[in-house]
């Protein structure tokens, strides 16, 4: 896991299509946004997108959109992403911090674990 190819291979599933191209009725929007954040944190190719503030490191919505585009994932940085990450903060899966006039998003241990389970499950599908 944590391989760029793995993230690309689950793209169709996260967009509502089975590996053989058939439409599925399940909505993987939450998983898609969480996995974008996970990929940003764990793949070295996205290191340049990271924002740091002491021990905290995370990503702006703008940089997460770049990560998603690179992976071939849909990502709405205006409404949907803010809503999902705010909900996941309540679930203690995402941390949100203001650095100056920028808001950065990071995964908690619980969020990290959640994403790893999702990715494993999707790769087995």
């Amino acid at each position: 896991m944590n391989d760029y190819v793995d993230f690309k291979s689950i793209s169709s599933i996260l967009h509502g299509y089975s590996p053989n191209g058939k439409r599925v009725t399940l909505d993987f929007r939450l998983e898609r946004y969480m996995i974008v954040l996970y990929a940003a944190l764990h793949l070295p190719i996205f290191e340049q997108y990271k924002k740091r503030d002491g021990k905290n490191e995370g990503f702006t919505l703008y940089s997460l959109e770049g990560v998603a585009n690179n992976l071939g994932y849909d990502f709405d940085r205006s409404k949907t992403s803010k809503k999902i990450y705010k909900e996941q903060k309540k679930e203690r899966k995402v941390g949100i911090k203001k650095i100056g006039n920028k808001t950065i998003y990071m995964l908690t241990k619980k969020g990290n674990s959640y994403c790893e389970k999702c990715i494993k499950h999707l790769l087995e599908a």
Side-chain angles (χ1 to χ4, degrees), residues 10-28:
I10 60 175
S11 175
S12 65
I13 299 168
L14 291 171
H15 288 95
Y17 292 93
S18 68
N20 62 4
K22 293 198 185 321
R23 189 82 173 132
V24 294
T25 56
L26 298 173
D27 180 13
F28 290 105

Side-chain angles (χ1 to χ4, degrees), residues 3 36-37 61 69 118 121-122:
D3 184 53
V36 166
L37 185 54
L61 293 178
N69 289 339
C118 286
H121 177 71
L122 291 167

Side-chain angles (χ1 to χ4, degrees), residues 96-108:
I96 301 173
K97 182 169 170 106
K98 281 279 208 189
I99 299 177
N101 63 348
K102 295 189 187 296
T103 303
I104 63 165
Y105 299 83
M106 60 208 95
L107 283 175
T108 63

